[in-house]
Coordinates of all heavy atoms in Angstrom, one line a residue:
M1 N 59.1 108.2 129.0 CA 57.7 108.3 128.5 C 56.7 108.4 129.6 O 56.9 107.9 130.7 CB 57.4 107.0 127.7 CG 58.3 106.7 126.5 SD 58.2 108.0 125.3 CE 57.0 107.1 124.1
A2 N 55.6 109.1 129.3 CA 54.6 109.3 130.4 C 53.2 109.3 129.8 O 53.1 109.7 128.6 CB 54.9 110.6 131.1
W3 N 52.3 108.7 130.5 CA 50.9 108.7 130.0 C 50.2 109.9 130.6 O 50.4 110.1 131.8 CB 50.2 107.4 130.5 CG 50.6 106.2 129.7 CD1 51.6 105.3 130.0 CD2 50.0 105.7 128.5 NE1 51.7 104.3 129.0 CE2 50.7 104.5 128.1 CE3 49.0 106.2 127.6 CZ2 50.5 103.8 126.9 CZ3 48.7 105.5 126.5 CH2 49.5 104.3 126.1
I4 N 49.5 110.7 129.8 CA 48.8 111.8 130.3 C 47.3 111.6 129.9 O 47.0 111.0 128.9 CB 49.3 113.1 129.8 CG1 49.2 113.2 128.2 CG2 50.7 113.4 130.2 CD1 49.2 114.6 127.7
E5 N 46.5 112.1 130.8 CA 45.0 112.0 130.6 C 44.6 113.2 129.7 O 45.0 114.4 130.1 CB 44.4 112.1 132.0 CG 42.9 111.8 132.0 CD 42.4 111.9 133.4 OE1 43.2 111.6 134.4 OE2 41.2 112.2 133.6
I6 N 43.9 113.0 128.7 CA 43.6 114.2 127.8 C 42.1 114.4 127.7 O 41.7 115.3 126.9 CB 44.2 114.0 126.4 CG1 43.7 112.7 125.7 CG2 45.7 114.0 126.5 CD1 44.0 112.7 124.3
G7 N 41.3 113.6 128.4 CA 39.8 114.0 128.3 C 39.0 112.7 128.1 O 39.5 111.6 128.2
R8 N 37.8 112.9 127.8 CA 36.8 111.8 127.7 C 36.6 111.5 126.2 O 36.6 112.3 125.4 CB 35.5 112.2 128.3 CG 35.6 112.7 129.7 CD 35.7 111.6 130.7 NE 34.5 110.6 130.6 CZ 34.5 109.4 131.1 NH1 35.6 109.0 131.9 NH2 33.5 108.6 131.0
L9 N 36.3 110.2 126.0 CA 36.0 109.8 124.6 C 34.9 110.6 124.0 O 35.0 111.0 122.9 CB 35.6 108.3 124.6 CG 35.4 107.7 123.3 CD1 36.6 107.7 122.4 CD2 34.8 106.3 123.4
E10 N 33.9 110.9 124.8 CA 32.7 111.6 124.2 C 33.1 113.1 123.9 O 32.3 113.8 123.2 CB 31.5 111.6 125.1 CG 31.7 112.2 126.5 CD 31.9 111.1 127.5 OE1 32.5 110.0 127.2 OE2 31.6 111.4 128.7
D11 N 34.3 113.6 124.3 CA 34.7 114.9 124.0 C 35.1 115.0 122.5 O 35.1 116.1 122.0 CB 35.9 115.4 124.8 CG 35.6 115.5 126.3 OD1 34.4 115.6 126.6 OD2 36.6 115.5 127.1
I12 N 35.4 113.9 121.9 CA 35.7 113.9 120.5 C 34.6 113.3 119.7 O 34.2 112.2 120.0 CB 37.0 113.0 120.2 CG1 38.1 113.5 121.1 CG2 37.4 113.1 118.7 CD1 39.4 112.7 121.0
P13 N 34.0 114.0 118.7 CA 32.9 113.4 117.9 C 33.5 112.3 117.1 O 34.6 112.3 116.7 CB 32.5 114.6 117.1 CG 33.6 115.6 117.1 CD 34.4 115.4 118.3
R14 N 32.6 111.3 116.8 CA 33.0 110.2 115.9 C 33.5 110.8 114.6 O 32.8 111.7 114.1 CB 31.8 109.3 115.6 CG 31.6 108.3 116.8 CD 30.9 107.0 116.3 NE 30.8 106.2 117.4 CZ 29.7 105.9 118.1 NH1 28.6 106.4 117.7 NH2 29.7 105.1 119.2
L15 N 34.5 110.3 114.1 CA 35.2 110.8 112.8 C 35.8 112.2 113.0 O 36.1 112.8 112.0 CB 34.2 110.7 111.6 CG 33.5 109.4 111.4 CD1 32.6 109.5 110.2 CD2 34.5 108.3 111.2
G16 N 35.9 112.6 114.2 CA 36.5 113.9 114.5 C 37.8 113.8 115.1 O 38.4 112.8 115.3
A17 N 38.4 115.0 115.5 CA 39.7 115.1 116.2 C 39.7 116.2 117.1 O 38.9 117.2 116.9 CB 40.8 115.2 115.1
R18 N 40.6 116.2 118.0 CA 40.9 117.3 118.9 C 42.4 117.5 118.9 O 43.1 116.5 118.7 CB 40.3 117.3 120.2 CG 40.8 116.2 121.1 CD 40.2 116.3 122.5 NE 40.6 117.4 123.2 CZ 40.5 117.6 124.5 NH1 39.9 116.6 125.2 NH2 40.9 118.7 125.1
I19 N 42.8 118.7 119.3 CA 44.3 118.9 119.3 C 44.8 119.0 120.7 O 44.1 119.7 121.5 CB 44.6 120.2 118.5 CG1 44.3 120.0 117.0 CG2 46.1 120.6 118.7 CD1 44.3 121.3 116.2
V20 N 45.9 118.3 120.9 CA 46.6 118.4 122.2 C 47.9 119.1 122.0 O 48.6 118.7 121.1 CB 46.8 117.0 122.8 CG1 47.7 117.1 124.1 CG2 45.5 116.3 123.1
R21 N 48.1 120.2 122.7 CA 49.3 121.0 122.5 C 50.4 120.5 123.5 O 50.2 120.6 124.6 CB 49.1 122.5 122.7 CG 48.1 123.0 121.7 CD 47.9 124.5 121.7 NE 46.6 124.8 121.1 CZ 46.4 124.8 119.8 NH1 47.3 124.6 119.0 NH2 45.1 125.1 119.4
A22 N 51.4 119.8 122.9 CA 52.4 119.2 123.7 C 53.8 119.7 123.4 O 53.9 120.5 122.4 CB 52.4 117.7 123.4
A23 N 54.8 119.4 124.2 CA 56.1 119.9 123.9 C 56.6 119.5 122.5 O 57.4 120.2 121.9 CB 57.0 119.4 125.0
E24 N 56.1 118.3 122.1 CA 56.5 117.8 120.8 C 55.9 118.6 119.6 O 56.1 118.4 118.4 CB 56.1 116.3 120.6 CG 56.9 115.4 121.5 CD 56.2 115.1 122.7 OE1 55.5 116.0 123.3 OE2 56.4 114.0 123.3
G25 N 54.9 119.5 119.9 CA 54.1 120.1 118.9 C 52.7 119.6 119.0 O 52.3 118.9 119.9
D26 N 51.8 120.2 118.1 CA 50.4 119.8 118.2 C 50.2 118.4 117.8 O 50.8 117.9 116.8 CB 49.6 120.7 117.2 CG 49.4 122.1 117.8 OD1 49.9 122.4 118.9 OD2 48.8 122.9 117.1
I27 N 49.4 117.7 118.6 CA 49.1 116.3 118.3 C 47.6 116.2 118.1 O 46.8 116.7 118.9 CB 49.5 115.4 119.5 CG1 51.0 115.5 119.7 CG2 49.0 114.0 119.4 CD1 51.5 114.8 121.0
A28 N 47.2 115.6 117.0 CA 45.8 115.4 116.7 C 45.3 114.0 117.2 O 46.0 113.0 116.9 CB 45.6 115.4 115.1
V29 N 44.3 114.0 118.0 CA 43.8 112.8 118.6 C 42.4 112.6 117.9 O 41.5 113.4 117.9 CB 43.6 113.0 120.1 CG1 43.0 111.6 120.7 CG2 44.9 113.3 120.8
F30 N 42.3 111.4 117.2 CA 41.2 111.1 116.4 C 40.4 110.0 117.0 O 40.8 109.1 117.7 CB 41.7 110.5 115.0 CG 42.6 111.4 114.2 CD1 43.9 111.4 114.4 CD2 42.0 112.3 113.3 CE1 44.7 112.2 113.6 CE2 42.8 113.1 112.5 CZ 44.2 113.1 112.7
R31 N 39.0 110.0 116.7 CA 38.1 108.9 117.0 C 37.5 108.5 115.8 O 36.9 109.3 115.0 CB 37.1 109.5 118.0 CG 36.0 108.5 118.4 CD 35.0 109.2 119.3 NE 33.9 108.3 119.7 CZ 32.8 108.7 120.3 NH1 32.7 110.0 120.8 NH2 31.8 107.9 120.6
N32 N 37.6 107.2 115.5 CA 36.9 106.7 114.3 C 35.5 106.2 114.5 O 35.0 106.3 115.7 CB 37.9 105.7 113.5 CG 37.9 104.3 114.1 OD1 37.1 104.0 115.1 ND2 38.6 103.4 113.5
A33 N 34.9 105.6 113.5 CA 33.5 105.2 113.6 C 33.3 104.1 114.6 O 32.2 103.9 115.2 CB 33.0 104.8 112.3
E34 N 34.4 103.3 114.9 CA 34.3 102.2 115.8 C 34.8 102.6 117.2 O 35.0 101.7 118.1 CB 35.2 101.0 115.3 CG 34.7 100.3 114.2 CD 34.9 100.9 112.8 OE1 36.0 101.4 112.6 OE2 33.9 101.0 112.0
D35 N 34.9 103.9 117.4 CA 35.4 104.4 118.7 C 36.8 104.1 119.1 O 37.2 104.1 120.3 CB 34.4 104.0 119.9 CG 33.1 104.6 119.8 OD1 33.0 105.7 119.1 OD2 32.1 104.1 120.3
A36 N 37.6 103.7 118.1 CA 39.0 103.6 118.3 C 39.6 105.0 118.3 O 39.2 105.8 117.6 CB 39.6 102.7 117.2
V37 N 40.7 105.1 119.1 CA 41.3 106.4 119.3 C 42.8 106.3 118.8 O 43.5 105.3 119.1 CB 41.2 106.9 120.7 CG1 42.0 108.2 121.0 CG2 39.8 107.1 121.1
F38 N 43.2 107.3 118.1 CA 44.6 107.3 117.5 C 45.2 108.7 117.7 O 44.4 109.7 117.8 CB 44.5 107.1 116.0 CG 43.8 105.8 115.6 CD1 42.5 105.8 115.3 CD2 44.5 104.6 115.6 CE1 41.8 104.7 115.0 CE2 43.8 103.4 115.2 CZ 42.4 103.5 114.9
A39 N 46.5 108.8 117.7 CA 47.1 110.1 117.9 C 48.3 110.2 116.9 O 49.2 109.4 116.9 CB 47.6 110.3 119.3
L40 N 48.3 111.3 116.1 CA 49.3 111.6 115.2 C 49.8 113.0 115.4 O 48.9 113.9 115.7 CB 48.8 111.4 113.7 CG 48.3 110.1 113.3 CD1 47.9 110.2 111.8 CD2 49.4 109.0 113.4
R41 N 51.0 113.3 115.0 CA 51.4 114.7 114.9 C 50.5 115.4 113.9 O 50.2 114.8 112.9 CB 52.9 114.8 114.5 CG 53.4 116.3 114.4 CD 54.8 116.3 113.9 NE 55.7 115.8 115.0 CZ 56.2 116.7 115.9 NH1 55.9 117.9 115.9 NH2 57.0 116.2 116.8
D42 N 50.1 116.6 114.2 CA 49.1 117.3 113.4 C 49.8 118.0 112.2 O 49.6 119.1 111.9 CB 48.4 118.3 114.2 CG 47.1 118.8 113.5 OD1 46.7 118.2 112.6 OD2 46.6 119.9 113.9
R43 N 50.7 117.2 111.5 CA 51.4 117.7 110.4 C 51.5 116.6 109.3 O 52.1 115.6 109.6 CB 52.8 118.2 110.7 CG 52.9 119.5 111.4 CD 54.3 119.9 111.7 NE 55.1 119.9 110.5 CZ 55.2 120.9 109.6 NH1 54.5 122.0 109.9 NH2 55.9 120.9 108.6
C44 N 50.9 116.8 108.2 CA 50.9 115.8 107.1 C 52.4 115.6 106.7 O 53.1 116.6 106.6 CB 50.1 116.3 106.0 SG 50.1 115.2 104.5
P45 N 52.8 114.4 106.4 CA 54.2 114.2 105.9 C 54.4 114.8 104.5 O 55.6 114.9 104.1 CB 54.4 112.7 105.9 CG 53.0 112.1 105.9 CD 52.1 113.1 106.6
H46 N 53.4 115.2 103.8 CA 53.6 115.8 102.5 C 54.1 117.2 102.7 O 55.2 117.5 102.6 CB 52.3 115.7 101.7 CG 52.4 116.3 100.3 ND1 51.4 117.0 99.7 CD2 53.4 116.3 99.5 CE1 51.8 117.4 98.6 NE2 53.0 117.0 98.4
K47 N 53.2 118.2 103.0 CA 53.6 119.6 103.2 C 53.1 120.2 104.4 O 52.8 121.4 104.5 CB 53.2 120.4 102.0 CG 53.9 120.0 100.7 CD 53.6 120.9 99.5 CE 54.5 120.5 98.3 NZ 54.1 121.3 97.1
G48 N 52.9 119.3 105.4 CA 52.5 119.8 106.8 C 51.1 120.2 107.0 O 50.7 121.0 107.9
G49 N 50.2 119.7 106.1 CA 48.8 120.0 106.3 C 48.3 119.6 107.6 O 48.8 118.7 108.3
P50 N 47.2 120.2 108.1 CA 46.6 119.9 109.4 C 45.7 118.6 109.4 O 44.6 118.7 109.0 CB 45.8 121.1 109.7 CG 45.3 121.7 108.4 CD 46.4 121.3 107.4
L51 N 46.3 117.5 109.8 CA 45.6 116.2 109.7 C 44.4 116.3 110.6 O 43.4 115.6 110.3 CB 46.5 115.1 110.1 CG 47.7 114.9 109.1 CD1 48.6 113.8 109.7 CD2 47.2 114.5 107.7
S52 N 44.4 117.1 111.6 CA 43.2 117.2 112.5 C 42.0 117.7 111.8 O 40.8 117.5 112.2 CB 43.5 118.1 113.7 OG 43.8 119.4 113.2
Q53 N 42.2 118.3 110.6 CA 41.0 118.8 109.8 C 40.7 117.9 108.7 O 39.9 118.2 107.8 CB 41.3 120.2 109.3 CG 41.4 121.2 110.4 CD 41.8 122.6 110.0 OE1 41.5 123.0 108.9 NE2 42.6 123.3 110.8
G54 N 41.3 116.7 108.6 CA 41.1 115.7 107.6 C 39.9 114.9 107.8 O 39.1 115.0 108.8
I55 N 39.6 114.1 106.8 CA 38.4 113.2 106.8 C 38.9 111.8 107.4 O 39.8 111.2 106.8 CB 37.8 113.0 105.4 CG1 37.5 114.3 104.8 CG2 36.6 112.1 105.5 CD1 36.3 115.0 105.2
V56 N 38.3 111.3 108.4 CA 38.6 110.1 109.0 C 37.7 109.0 108.4 O 36.5 109.2 108.2 CB 38.3 110.1 110.6 CG1 38.5 108.7 111.1 CG2 39.3 111.0 111.2
H57 N 38.3 107.9 107.9 CA 37.6 106.8 107.3 C 38.3 105.5 107.6 O 39.5 105.4 107.3 CB 37.4 107.0 105.8 CG 38.6 107.4 105.1 ND1 39.4 106.5 104.4 CD2 39.3 108.5 105.0 CE1 40.4 107.0 103.9 NE2 40.5 108.3 104.2
G58 N 37.6 104.6 108.3 CA 38.3 103.4 108.7 C 39.4 103.7 109.6 O 39.2 104.4 110.7
R59 N 40.6 103.2 109.3 CA 41.8 103.5 110.1 C 42.7 104.4 109.4 O 43.9 104.3 109.5 CB 42.4 102.2 110.5 CG 41.5 101.3 111.3 CD 42.1 99.9 111.6 NE 43.0 99.9 112.6 CZ 42.7 99.8 113.9 NH1 41.4 99.7 114.3 NH2 43.6 99.7 114.9
R60 N 42.2 105.3 108.6 CA 43.0 106.3 107.9 C 42.3 107.7 108.0 O 41.2 107.8 108.3 CB 43.0 106.0 106.4 CG 43.8 104.8 106.1 CD 43.9 104.6 104.6 NE 44.7 103.4 104.2 CZ 44.9 103.0 103.0 NH1 44.2 103.6 102.0 NH2 45.7 102.0 102.7
V61 N 43.2 108.7 107.8 CA 42.7 110.1 107.7 C 43.2 110.6 106.4 O 44.3 110.4 105.9 CB 43.2 111.0 108.9 CG1 44.7 111.0 109.0 CG2 42.5 112.4 108.8
T62 N 42.3 111.3 105.6 CA 42.7 111.9 104.4 C 43.0 113.4 104.6 O 42.2 114.1 105.2 CB 41.6 111.8 103.3 OG1 41.4 110.4 103.0 CG2 42.0 112.6 102.1
C63 N 44.3 113.8 104.3 CA 44.7 115.2 104.5 C 43.8 116.1 103.7 O 43.5 115.9 102.6 CB 46.2 115.3 104.0 SG 46.8 117.0 104.3
P64 N 43.5 117.3 104.4 CA 42.6 118.2 103.7 C 43.2 119.0 102.6 O 42.6 119.6 101.8 CB 42.1 119.2 104.9 CG 43.3 119.1 105.9 CD 43.8 117.7 105.8
L65 N 44.6 119.0 102.5 CA 45.2 119.8 101.5 C 45.3 119.1 100.1 O 44.9 119.7 99.1 CB 46.6 120.3 102.0 CG 46.6 121.2 103.2 CD1 48.0 121.9 103.3 CD2 45.5 122.3 103.0
H66 N 45.9 118.0 100.1 CA 46.1 117.3 98.8 C 45.7 115.8 98.8 O 46.1 115.0 98.0 CB 47.6 117.4 98.4 CG 48.3 118.7 98.6 ND1 48.9 119.1 99.7 CD2 48.2 119.9 97.8 CE1 49.4 120.3 99.7 NE2 48.9 120.8 98.5
N67 N 44.9 115.5 99.8 CA 44.3 114.1 99.8 C 45.2 113.0 100.0 O 44.8 111.8 99.6 CB 43.4 113.9 98.6 CG 42.3 114.9 98.5 OD1 41.8 115.4 99.5 ND2 42.0 115.4 97.3
W68 N 46.4 113.2 100.6 CA 47.2 112.0 100.9 C 46.4 111.2 102.0 O 45.7 111.9 102.8 CB 48.5 112.4 101.5 CG 49.5 112.7 100.5 CD1 49.4 113.2 99.3 CD2 51.0 112.5 100.7 NE1 50.6 113.4 98.6 CE2 51.6 112.9 99.5 CE3 51.8 112.0 101.7 CZ2 53.0 112.9 99.3 CZ3 53.1 112.0 101.5 CH2 53.7 112.4 100.4
Q69 N 46.5 109.9 102.0 CA 45.9 109.1 103.1 C 46.9 108.6 104.1 O 47.9 108.0 103.6 CB 45.1 107.9 102.5 CG 44.0 108.4 101.6 CD 43.1 107.2 101.2 OE1 43.1 106.2 101.8 NE2 42.3 107.4 100.1
I70 N 46.7 108.9 105.3 CA 47.7 108.6 106.4 C 47.1 107.5 107.3 O 46.0 107.7 107.7 CB 48.0 109.8 107.2 CG1 48.4 111.0 106.3 CG2 49.1 109.5 108.2 CD1 49.5 110.8 105.3
A71 N 47.8 106.5 107.5 CA 47.3 105.4 108.4 C 47.3 106.0 109.9 O 48.3 106.5 110.4 CB 48.2 104.2 108.4
L72 N 46.1 105.8 110.5 CA 46.0 106.4 111.9 C 46.8 105.6 112.9 O 47.2 106.1 113.9 CB 44.5 106.4 112.3 CG 43.6 107.4 111.5 CD1 42.2 107.1 111.8 CD2 44.0 108.8 112.0
D73 N 47.0 104.3 112.6 CA 47.8 103.5 113.6 C 49.3 103.4 113.4 O 50.0 102.8 114.2 CB 47.2 102.1 113.7 CG 47.0 101.4 112.3 OD1 47.5 102.0 111.3 OD2 46.3 100.4 112.2
S74 N 49.8 104.1 112.3 CA 51.2 104.1 112.1 C 51.8 105.4 111.7 O 53.0 105.7 111.8 CB 51.6 103.0 111.1 OG 51.2 103.5 109.8
G75 N 50.9 106.3 111.2 CA 51.4 107.6 110.7 C 51.9 107.5 109.3 O 52.4 108.6 108.8
E76 N 51.9 106.3 108.7 CA 52.5 106.2 107.4 C 51.5 106.6 106.3 O 50.3 106.2 106.3 CB 53.0 104.8 107.2 CG 54.1 104.5 108.1 CD 54.9 103.2 107.8 OE1 54.6 102.6 106.7 OE2 55.8 102.9 108.6
A77 N 52.1 107.2 105.2 CA 51.3 107.5 104.0 C 51.0 106.2 103.3 O 51.8 105.4 103.2 CB 52.0 108.5 103.2
A78 N 49.7 106.2 102.7 CA 49.4 105.0 101.9 C 50.0 105.2 100.5 O 50.1 106.3 100.0 CB 47.8 105.0 101.8
A79 N 50.5 104.0 99.9 CA 51.1 104.0 98.6 C 50.1 104.6 97.6 O 48.9 104.4 97.7 CB 51.5 102.6 98.2
P80 N 50.6 105.3 96.5 CA 52.0 105.4 96.1 C 52.7 106.5 96.9 O 53.9 106.7 96.6 CB 51.9 105.8 94.7 CG 50.6 106.6 94.6 CD 49.7 106.0 95.6
D81 N 52.1 107.2 97.8 CA 52.8 108.3 98.5 C 53.7 107.6 99.6 O 53.4 106.5 100.1 CB 51.8 109.2 99.2 CG 50.9 109.9 98.1 OD1 51.4 110.3 97.1 OD2 49.7 109.9 98.4
V82 N 54.8 108.3 99.9 CA 55.7 107.8 100.9 C 56.0 108.9 101.9 O 56.0 110.1 101.6 CB 57.0 107.3 100.3 CG1 56.9 106.1 99.4 CG2 57.7 108.4 99.4
G83 N 56.2 108.4 103.1 CA 56.5 109.4 104.2 C 55.7 109.0 105.4 O 54.8 108.1 105.3
A84 N 56.0 109.6 106.6 CA 55.2 109.2 107.8 C 55.3 110.4 108.7 O 56.2 111.2 108.7 CB 55.8 108.0 108.4
T85 N 54.3 110.5 109.5 CA 54.3 111.5 110.6 C 54.3 110.7 111.9 O 54.0 109.6 112.0 CB 53.0 112.4 110.5 OG1 53.2 113.5 111.3 CG2 51.7 111.6 110.9
A86 N 54.7 111.4 112.9 CA 54.9 110.8 114.2 C 53.5 110.3 114.7 O 52.5 110.9 114.6 CB 55.5 111.7 115.3
C87 N 53.6 109.1 115.3 CA 52.4 108.4 115.8 C 52.6 108.2 117.3 O 53.7 107.8 117.8 CB 52.3 107.1 115.1 SG 50.8 106.1 115.5
F88 N 51.6 108.4 118.1 CA 51.7 108.2 119.5 C 50.7 107.2 120.1 O 49.6 107.0 119.5 CB 51.3 109.6 120.2 CG 52.2 110.7 119.8 CD1 52.0 111.4 118.6 CD2 53.4 111.0 120.5 CE1 52.8 112.4 118.2 CE2 54.2 112.0 120.0 CZ 54.0 112.8 118.9
A89 N 51.1 106.5 121.1 CA 50.2 105.5 121.7 C 49.0 106.1 122.4 O 49.2 107.1 123.1 CB 51.0 104.5 122.6
T90 N 47.9 105.5 122.3 CA 46.7 105.9 123.1 C 46.1 104.8 123.7 O 46.3 103.6 123.3 CB 45.7 106.6 122.2 OG1 45.2 105.7 121.2 CG2 46.2 107.8 121.5
R91 N 45.3 105.0 124.7 CA 44.4 103.9 125.3 C 43.2 104.6 125.9 O 43.3 105.8 126.3 CB 45.2 103.1 126.3 CG 45.6 103.7 127.5 CD 46.1 102.6 128.5 NE 46.2 103.2 129.9 CZ 47.3 103.6 130.5 NH1 48.5 103.4 129.9 NH2 47.3 104.1 131.7
V92 N 42.1 103.8 126.0 CA 40.9 104.4 126.5 C 40.5 103.5 127.7 O 40.4 102.2 127.5 CB 39.7 104.4 125.5 CG1 38.5 105.0 126.1 CG2 40.1 105.3 124.3
E93 N 40.4 104.0 128.8 CA 40.0 103.3 130.0 C 38.8 103.9 130.7 O 38.8 105.1 131.1 CB 41.1 103.3 131.1 CG 42.3 102.4 130.7 CD 43.4 102.5 131.7 OE1 43.3 103.3 132.7 OE2 44.5 101.8 131.5
E94 N 37.7 103.2 130.7 CA 36.4 103.7 131.3 C 36.1 105.0 130.7 O 35.7 105.9 131.5 CB 36.5 103.7 132.8 CG 36.7 102.3 133.4 CD 37.0 102.3 134.9 OE1 37.0 103.4 135.5 OE2 37.1 101.2 135.4
G95 N 36.2 105.2 129.4 CA 35.8 106.4 128.8 C 36.8 107.5 128.8 O 36.6 108.6 128.3
T96 N 37.9 107.3 129.5 CA 39.0 108.4 129.6 C 40.1 108.0 128.6 O 40.5 106.9 128.6 CB 39.5 108.5 131.0 OG1 38.5 108.9 131.9 CG2 40.7 109.5 131.1
I97 N 40.5 109.0 127.9 CA 41.6 108.8 126.9 C 42.9 109.2 127.5 O 43.1 110.2 128.1 CB 41.4 109.7 125.6 CG1 40.0 109.4 125.0 CG2 42.4 109.5 124.6 CD1 39.6 110.4 123.9
W98 N 43.9 108.3 127.3 CA 45.2 108.5 127.7 C 46.2 108.5 126.5 O 46.0 107.8 125.5 CB 45.7 107.4 128.7 CG 45.0 107.4 129.9 CD1 43.7 106.8 130.1 CD2 45.4 107.9 131.2 NE1 43.4 107.0 131.5 CE2 44.4 107.7 132.1 CE3 46.6 108.6 131.6 CZ2 44.5 108.1 133.5 CZ3 46.7 108.9 132.9 CH2 45.6 108.7 133.8
L99 N 47.2 109.4 126.6 CA 48.1 109.6 125.5 C 49.5 109.4 126.0 O 49.9 110.0 127.1 CB 47.9 111.0 124.9 CG 48.8 111.5 123.8 CD1 48.7 110.7 122.5 CD2 48.5 113.0 123.6
E100 N 50.4 108.7 125.3 CA 51.7 108.5 125.8 C 52.7 109.4 125.1 O 52.8 109.5 123.8 CB 52.2 107.0 125.5 CG 53.5 106.8 126.2 CD 54.0 105.3 126.0 OE1 53.8 104.8 124.9 OE2 54.6 104.8 126.9
L101 N 53.4 110.2 125.8 CA 54.3 111.2 125.3 C 55.7 111.0 125.9 O 55.8 110.5 127.0 CB 53.8 112.7 125.7 CG 52.5 113.1 125.1 CD1 52.2 114.5 125.6 CD2 52.5 113.1 123.6
A102 N 56.7 111.4 125.1 CA 58.1 111.3 125.6 C 58.3 112.3 126.7 O 59.0 112.0 127.7 CB 59.1 111.6 124.5
D103 N 57.6 113.5 126.6 CA 57.7 114.5 127.6 C 56.3 114.8 128.1 O 55.5 115.2 127.2 CB 58.4 115.7 127.0 CG 58.6 116.9 127.9 OD1 57.8 116.9 128.9 OD2 59.5 117.7 127.7
A104 N 56.1 114.7 129.3 CA 54.7 114.9 129.8 C 54.2 116.3 129.8 O 53.0 116.5 130.2 CB 54.6 114.3 131.2
Q105 N 55.0 117.2 129.4 CA 54.5 118.6 129.4 C 53.5 118.9 128.4 O 53.7 118.7 127.2 CB 55.7 119.6 129.1 CG 56.6 119.9 130.3 CD 57.5 121.0 130.1 OE1 57.8 121.3 129.0 NE2 57.9 121.6 131.2
V106 N 52.3 119.3 128.8 CA 51.2 119.7 127.9 C 50.9 121.1 128.2 O 50.6 121.5 129.3 CB 50.0 118.8 128.1 CG1 48.8 119.3 127.3 CG2 50.4 117.4 127.7
A107 N 51.0 121.9 127.1 CA 50.7 123.4 127.3 C 49.3 123.7 127.6 O 49.0 124.4 128.5 CB 51.2 124.2 126.1
S108 N 48.4 123.1 126.9 CA 47.0 123.3 127.1 C 46.2 122.3 126.3 O 46.8 121.7 125.4 CB 46.6 124.7 126.7 OG 46.7 124.8 125.3
H109 N 45.0 122.1 126.7 CA 44.1 121.2 125.9 C 43.4 122.0 124.9 O 42.7 122.9 125.2 CB 43.1 120.5 126.8 CG 43.8 119.5 127.8 ND1 43.1 118.7 128.6 CD2 45.1 119.2 128.0 CE1 43.9 117.9 129.3 NE2 45.1 118.3 129.0
G110 N 43.6 121.6 123.6 CA 43.0 122.4 122.5 C 41.6 122.0 122.3 O 41.1 121.1 122.8
Ligands
LIG1 S1 49.9 118.5 102.9 FE1 48.8 116.7 103.2 S2 48.5 115.9 101.3 FE2 49.7 117.7 100.9

């Protein structure tokens, strides 16, 4: 596992997301209204919808395709839906966002 620097907190608008292209696939990095940062694989566990384009509310994101709600801190779908998408650890230090990946290769910053 390796921590990689992916940019500044202010690079992501509140309730928005940016995409990090990693060896694991696209990862959506979210910032919520409280400036907490979360990272999930950018594929909904339902049919692969782009979670980075979803609506962030509290500690969840609503998928733009069929409105499943996915927990930002675990990647798990809220009941009655079942399933989960990969969740990655993040931390913010002095305004810089760090993301923990199994493989530190990052193709580009989206
Ligand atoms: S693909 Fe996300 S709710 Fe269907």
